[in-house]
Amino acid sequence: MKHLPTIKDVASAAGVHFTTVSMALRYDPRIRAETRNRVLAAALRTGYQRNPVSGALSMRRQSVVAAKSTPRIAFVSNRSPENGFYRRDYIGNLLRGARDKAQALGYEFEVIFVDDGHHDSQSLYRYLKEQAISGLIIGAFEPDRSELSLPWDEFCVVQIDSRHHRPSFTFVSHDQMHAVRLAFANLRRLGYRRVGLAVGAHDPIVTANLPGCGYLLELFSVRPADRLEPLLFPPNVGMKAAARIVAEWVREVGADAVICNWMMIGRLLRLGGAPRGVGSACMCLQRPAPQIAGVVSNTDLVGSQLTSRLAALLQSESYGVPATPTSTYVEGFWHDGTSAPDRN
């Protein structure tokens, strides 16, 4: 008889104890992201599949316990760990802020994925009902990836970015319009005159083009000769291609500084061979760094606000799609760095 991989086989392949595998496969928050990713990769290599009967019994036991103890909320993303969920710069701070606030308010916090190898809308709905989860954070859903459709009247929902997602819910985000305007004004203060904006092609879709709106407002404060068309990087562009694209664009439009939502923008300019002296600023720094100028985005506070808004909806039993969705924007603050030295 063919040997079916067990949880102990996965544990051996990942180099961890089998209880760690069990916790990682349930996305227990006590398991670090690096360990979880290693366990998931080992499960894929070994071909391990959870026993549907024991899995269902386990979820039933967990739902009974949850119903009698701590209420739970879930952060749902359509980019799984295997596809780079935890590699994005802001995710760690965002989840920390959301989880810390959840614990302070008496909620358990879980991260769930709608992606290949994880849930689709139907299996997610079953899981949420089994686990008695009625509060959801739609976490930065991306276009061209798995969509989410649930009977919304049974849930309280807030969302971060994901402005393309329909229907619209209570919304919380880093204030990207303010971030671009703040970066633009400070680069001008430092002596840069032809300041450009470079973002991903999907960013205007998921942010309702708030960075572009902020950039357009600032362009009205400069002479027409210094107004540049923004650059949109192609979706899923690699680092070498992005470096070439941004360097060619800088030379073509004559930009002397670039605002971007990628922390690596200064490195891309150097790698692509952009003219020396071109400054750069990141509009969503996660922490002040001496070598990077930009706007520190207070992502922990964004995460905390997500949970606070969701808790308020749950406590007032405000289920379903709101008639008038509200938006909360958290402003960042400017940080000088060597990527944009003072030209004055």
Side-chain angles (χ1 to χ4, degrees):
M1 176 181 289
K2 181 180 179 181
H3 171 70
L4 295 178
T6 67
I7 197 169
K8 291 187 177 180
D9 295 323
V10 178
S12 177
V16 297
H17 194 269
F18 68 86
T19 57
T20 301
V21 173
S22 177
M23 295 170 70
L25 294 177
R26 288 184 284 110
Y27 290 90
D28 192 298
R30 290 170 291 182
I31 301 299
R32 293 185 304 170
E34 297 84 355
T35 303
R36 182 184 299 113
N37 290 341
R38 191 164 76 248
V39 169
L40 290 171
L44 290 172
R45 289 198 309 271
T46 59
Y48 172 75
Q49 293 182 343
R50 294 184 67 184
N51 184 298
V53 175
S54 64
L57 291 174
S58 174
M59 287 190 291
R60 182 176 179 82
R61 286 195 299 270
Q62 293 170 17
S63 65
V64 171
V65 172
K68 294 180 179 179
S69 56
T70 308
R72 302 171 69 190
I73 61 178
F75 183 103
V76 184
S77 173
N78 66 349
R79 179 178 288 275
S80 66
E82 299 92 328
N83 287 315
F85 175 75
Y86 289 106
R87 289 198 295 269
R88 293 180 291 182
D89 294 330
Y90 68 94
I91 284 295
N93 289 341
L94 182 72
L95 293 182
R96 180 170 57 250
R99 180 175 286 117
D100 287 350
K101 177 58 72 171
Q103 292 174 349
L105 295 175
Y107 293 90
E108 287 188 0
F109 183 89
E110 180 175 358
V111 182
I112 305 174
F113 302 101
V114 178
D115 200 358
D116 292 341
H118 294 268
H119 287 288
D120 58 19
S121 292
Q122 291 183 343
S123 68
L124 175 64
Y125 176 67
R126 291 194 299 269
Y127 179 78
L128 295 173
K129 301 307 288 185
E130 290 165 349
Q131 298 298 309
I133 298 174
S134 57
L136 302 179
I137 297 171
I138 297 178
F141 261 54
E142 301 176 43
D144 302 332
R145 300 189 65 82
S146 300
E147 297 182 355
L148 181 60
S149 178
L150 295 171
W152 299 115
D153 288 346
E154 299 181 30
F155 299 95
C156 295
V157 183
V158 298
Q159 64 189 92
I160 174 170
D161 297 337
S162 318
R163 294 314 293 259
H164 63 290
H165 185 277
R166 292 293 180 269
S168 296
F169 296 99
T170 298
F171 179 78
V172 180
S173 178
H174 165 51
D175 193 337
Q176 298 181 61
M177 180 185 292
H178 172 264
V180 169
R181 300 192 70 181
L182 186 60
F184 192 101
N186 276 279
L187 289 170
R188 295 280 296 182
R189 171 183 61 83
L190 292 168
Y192 298 91
R193 291 292 170 261
R194 296 177 61 79
V195 180
L197 175 68
V199 295
H202 284 160
D203 291 337
I205 300 172
V206 300
T207 66
N209 201 29
L210 289 178
C213 291
Y215 183 66
L216 181 62
L217 287 171
E218 289 302 314
L219 289 184
F220 285 115
S221 68
V222 304
R223 61 179 187 169
D226 290 337
R227 298 172 187 173
L228 310 180
E229 287 289 329
L231 167 68
L232 296 180
F233 290 106
N236 303 314
V237 65
M239 187 169 179
K240 289 184 178 180
R244 175 180 51 78
I245 290 169
V246 71
E248 289 179 354
W249 171 75
V250 163
R251 286 191 290 267
E252 179 182 342
V253 302
D256 59 11
V258 181
I259 301 169
C260 187
N261 53 357
W262 296 355
M263 286 183 61
M264 66 180 74
I265 182 60
R267 183 180 175 190
L268 291 177
L269 289 169
R270 294 191 300 272
L271 181 63
R276 294 187 62 181
V278 175
S280 63
C282 176
M283 54 180 274
C284 51
L285 285 171
Q286 295 308 297
R287 64 195 64 82
Q291 71 275 22
I292 306 176
V295 178
V296 181
S297 57
N298 285 322
T299 312
D300 294 70
L301 181 56
V302 175
S304 178
Q305 287 293 313
L306 280 166
T307 299
S308 294
R309 294 293 182 271
L310 182 56
L313 294 175
L314 289 165
Q315 291 164 9
S316 62
E317 298 185 350
S318 301
Y319 293 88
V321 181
T324 306
T326 60
S327 299
T328 300
Y329 295 99
V330 179
E331 292 186 357
F333 59 91
W334 175 259
H335 166 73
D336 283 316
T338 56
S339 67
D342 194 333
R343 304 181 81 180
N344 297 316

